[in-house]
Amino acid sequence: MGPPPTPSEAVTANPDERQVDTLLLTLDLRVPAGLEGPLGAHADASVDPAHVVAVALEVDGQPWGRFAVAPQAASAPPVAGWRLLPEPRSLLLVAHLTDDVALVESPPDDVRAWLSVLDRTLAAGDHVARVAEVILEDAGGRRVALSFSHWLPFHVARGDASAHVGALTLTAHGLDAAEVIP
Amino acid sequence: MNRALFFALVLLGLVACEPTTLVFENQVPGVTIENMRWTTSNQTYQSPDRLLPGQASAEIDVGLDDEGRRGRVTFEVDLNGRRVALEAEAPLKVPAEGQTRFVLTPDTPVRHPLLQEAPMALWAAPE
């Protein structure tokens, strides 16, 4: 058994004070014209959000868990395995800060580990988010991972339970030659 | 002499009738523990107390039928308004007579009943 709590640790926060545990983000993956390969032969286009299967999000430089995306209806015939849309079409991502999938795969096994799960909230103030990785699945079931480095600042107001990170447009360079996930 | 023998017998009787009790204690810094329960095959004993770090609950009287039994310890951990219901990994045995103290520390092995028994229920989206 560890040492008893010190007086400075024996303080609990007001349970009525809400803290952000959900982030909202819209994501648009653009494919510019002129790229080498079959996709670049087309005009500017958006990757059909139906291809997105998972997104890894970082907040303030820390991984915020990978969250899956609900399946969406396909809306265009595939070109070289990818469905491209002439108009931007955003994907709404709802990122709960507690990663349920990770909890199921590897449940915490002591109280301390559970506290680290409970403590994953955002305090009021300024933060920055990054979509670190987007995993796409083409029409043939092949999965590829795209990495990005765009930071998106956002603000959390006191008393909020969720925060809108913003609308993010990412350019899917190298979609043809992206790393294939085995 | 008879009076001394009488008091000795009374004292012996009092010791012999020492109640069996259970106490929960929170030694986890920064969190509140609530809804502490000890559940045997007979019944559930619950503490109404809300324990801040360093606090212990009032004594809970344990019935004769449950003396010496093992039972599950469950509780809720509240951290800044976010909470989780957990169960101690090891069942707790409450011996007959005297006080048994369950001390919750950061290192106490625990599990989440839902994750253990029905993990697929938490899969919200296909992966």
Side-chain angles (χ1 to χ4, degrees):
Chain A
M1 187 175 72
T6 64
S8 64
E9 294 171 321
V11 177
T12 57
N14 179 3
D16 295 329
E17 184 176 340
R18 301 167 75 190
Q19 289 183 293
V20 166
D21 64 0
T22 301
L23 295 180
L24 306 174
L25 172 70
T26 56
L27 179 66
D28 181 20
L29 280 175
R30 300 291 293 171
V31 176
L35 288 179
E36 291 186 7
L39 294 179
H42 295 263
D44 287 351
S46 277
V47 177
D48 190 331
H51 286 301
V52 179
V53 293
V55 177
L57 186 69
E58 288 182 2
V59 174
D60 299 340
Q62 299 295 320
W64 215 244
R66 184 189 300 275
F67 51 96
V69 180
Q72 304 192 20
S75 56
V79 176
W82 300 103
R83 295 182 178 88
L84 301 180
L85 307 172
E87 299 295 329
R89 184 176 301 180
S90 295
L91 173 68
L92 173 64
L93 302 174
V94 181
H96 297 289
L97 303 188
T98 300
D99 187 345
D100 287 345
V101 174
L103 284 180
V104 171
E105 291 177 345
S106 182
D109 57 5
D110 63 20
V111 173
R112 189 192 316 277
W114 272 106
L115 295 187
S116 69
V117 173
L118 292 180
D119 201 26
R120 301 186 71 184
T121 58
L122 285 181
D126 292 318
H127 301 274
V128 64
R130 180 170 82 103
V131 172
E133 188 178 64
V134 178
I135 295 178
L136 304 165
E137 184 175 277
D138 71 9
R142 185 187 64 143
R143 291 195 172 190
V144 301
L146 298 177
S147 298
F148 300 97
S149 57
H150 296 72
W151 293 95
L152 202 60
F154 65 101
H155 182 79
V156 170
R158 190 170 187 83
D160 282 355
S162 63
H164 182 227
V165 173
L168 189 58
T169 300
L170 299 174
T171 303
H173 284 293
L175 190 58
D176 297 343
E179 178 189 358
V180 177
I181 300 173
Chain B
M1 185 64 183
N2 284 343
R3 175 169 293 195
L5 181 61
F6 172 76
F7 282 120
L9 288 174
V10 168
L11 186 61
L12 188 62
L14 287 175
V15 170
C17 294
E18 185 181 4
T20 300
T21 61
L22 174 61
V23 169
F24 295 98
E25 183 176 328
N26 176 14
Q27 289 293 348
V28 183
V31 305
T32 305
I33 308 298
E34 293 182 68
N35 295 322
M36 299 142 292
R37 295 182 175 91
W38 181 60
T39 302
T40 70
S41 55
N42 287 329
Q43 63 174 303
T44 295
Y45 299 85
Q46 180 172 2
S47 169
D49 298 324
R50 185 170 183 268
L51 303 181
L52 297 173
Q55 287 186 329
S57 70
E59 286 187 314
I60 303 168
D61 291 326
V62 174
L64 288 173
D65 289 347
D66 289 317
E67 291 180 350
R69 284 187 186 273
R70 293 179 185 275
R72 298 186 306 125
V73 174
T74 56
F75 49 87
E76 292 176 16
V77 175
D78 185 310
L79 176 64
N80 299 334
R82 285 161 60 84
R83 63 173 55 209
V84 63
L86 298 173
E87 174 183 339
E89 185 76 37
L92 176 69
K93 182 178 182 179
V94 176
E97 299 176 359
Q99 183 190 88
T100 297
R101 184 169 286 249
F102 176 83
V103 181
L104 188 72
T105 75
D107 298 321
T108 301
V110 294
R111 62 185 170 202
H112 192 295
L114 184 59
L115 294 181
Q116 298 295 324
E117 295 170 6
M120 293 307 291
L122 286 186
W123 286 80
E127 171 62 40

